[in-house]
Amino acid sequence: MSIRVIVADDQSLVRAGFAALLEAQDGIEVVGQAEDGEQAVAATVDLVPDVVLMDIRMPVLDGLEATRRIVARPELASVRVVVLTTFELDEYVFEAIRAGAAGFLVKHTEPADLVRAVRVVAGGEALLSPGVTRRLLSEFATRAKQAPDSRLLAELTDREREVMTLVAEGLTNAEIAERLVLSPATARTHVSRILLKLGARDRTQLVVLAYESGLVRPGWRG
């Protein structure tokens, strides 16, 4: 079954380029395009794709609010939004991730990385590179006005806190299993239980919660 994608960007050349690149890949189908956030939300409701590539800065409705509206709809729970930005430390990216985006990409990313990102997100993983995404989260956690709320993690066991720390470091289930000398299935089970206990949509939101709870400190490098 093909991975169904919607591309939302107000620049027609960028939008067409991403669509053409993805359409040329086996197992990926671009089912819709949108030139503003309002169109992106409408197309997502109508088509229910697997992945939405969402530009942040768009007219009518920006990508941040569009992401919030998509994530808020129960019938779109399976849809993964990847926000697109021109700059790695775009001030809106952190808020987009908090709103429920599964990750982000810079627009000048290599074509192969874009394709890989779509496949990774569609497969249920968050787009959390151990480098750029963690630096971005650390940067904006440093600026957070609210104090860490340790009560967020009250229901987690010590092992689950340990696993969540490694998720925040950007490790995959396989890497977590290797680090903690567990089977990959056990690591996956721990992550699933953490998501359930915290009511988090995906691994990206676990990273945000790790910072907001104080489990991970701004500037931490694992």
Side-chain angles (χ1 to χ4, degrees):
M1 183 179 295
S2 294
I3 299 170
R4 304 170 72 252
V5 180
I6 286 176
V7 179
D9 194 296
D10 64 328
Q11 298 181 50
S12 58
L13 190 60
V14 172
R15 192 170 66 245
F18 282 159
L21 171 65
L22 294 173
E23 280 283 7
Q25 310 303 313
D26 291 335
I28 298 179
E29 178 186 5
V30 176
V31 296
Q33 298 184 36
E35 62 184 25
D36 60 55
E38 193 170 87
Q39 287 184 10
V41 174
T44 302
V45 170
D46 185 41
L47 300 169
V48 193
D50 300 299
V51 177
V52 178
L53 294 180
M54 181 82 74
D55 187 22
I56 289 182
R57 301 177 181 184
M58 292 188 292
V60 185
L61 188 71
D62 65 34
L64 178 59
E65 182 58 30
T67 298
R68 287 197 187 101
R69 294 187 186 185
I70 290 170
V71 171
R73 300 181 73 110
E75 70 272 25
L76 302 179
S78 64
V79 177
R80 294 291 175 259
V81 178
V82 176
V83 296
L84 298 168
T85 178
T86 304
F87 306 105
E88 291 180 349
L89 291 180
D90 190 303
E91 62 184 4
Y92 298 110
V93 172
F94 182 62
E95 289 303 320
I97 291 175
R98 290 189 64 189
F104 82 100
L105 285 172
V106 290
K107 288 187 178 180
H108 59 262
T109 192
E110 292 295 324
D113 290 335
L114 172 64
V115 174
R116 181 191 65 82
V118 168
R119 297 190 191 281
V120 165
V121 171
E125 292 283 349
L127 191 60
L128 290 172
S129 69
V132 174
T133 301
R134 193 167 71 249
R135 288 201 305 273
L136 179 139
L137 290 170
S138 178
E139 170 74 16
F140 286 97
T142 302
R143 302 180 188 180
K145 295 180 180 179
Q146 295 182 342
D149 186 356
S150 59
R151 295 173 301 175
L152 289 171
L153 309 185
E155 294 187 22
L156 301 186
T157 65
D158 289 343
R159 174 60 91 183
E160 287 168 346
R161 287 169 183 255
E162 191 174 14
V163 170
M164 186 170 172
T165 298
L166 296 179
V167 170
E169 188 178 336
L171 271 63
T172 65
N173 288 342
E175 291 167 338
I176 290 171
E178 183 177 357
R179 180 79 65 88
L180 299 180
V181 194
L182 304 170
S183 72
T186 299
R188 185 168 57 251
T189 297
H190 280 309
V191 173
S192 296
R193 286 177 178 169
I194 295 167
L195 288 167
L196 183 62
K197 286 183 177 182
L198 298 182
R201 181 181 174 92
D202 55 30
R203 297 168 76 100
T204 307
Q205 289 199 316
L206 288 187
V207 176
V208 174
L209 288 172
Y211 279 98
E212 291 183 335
S213 67
L215 180 66
V216 173
R217 298 187 306 277
W220 172 79
R221 287 295 178 270

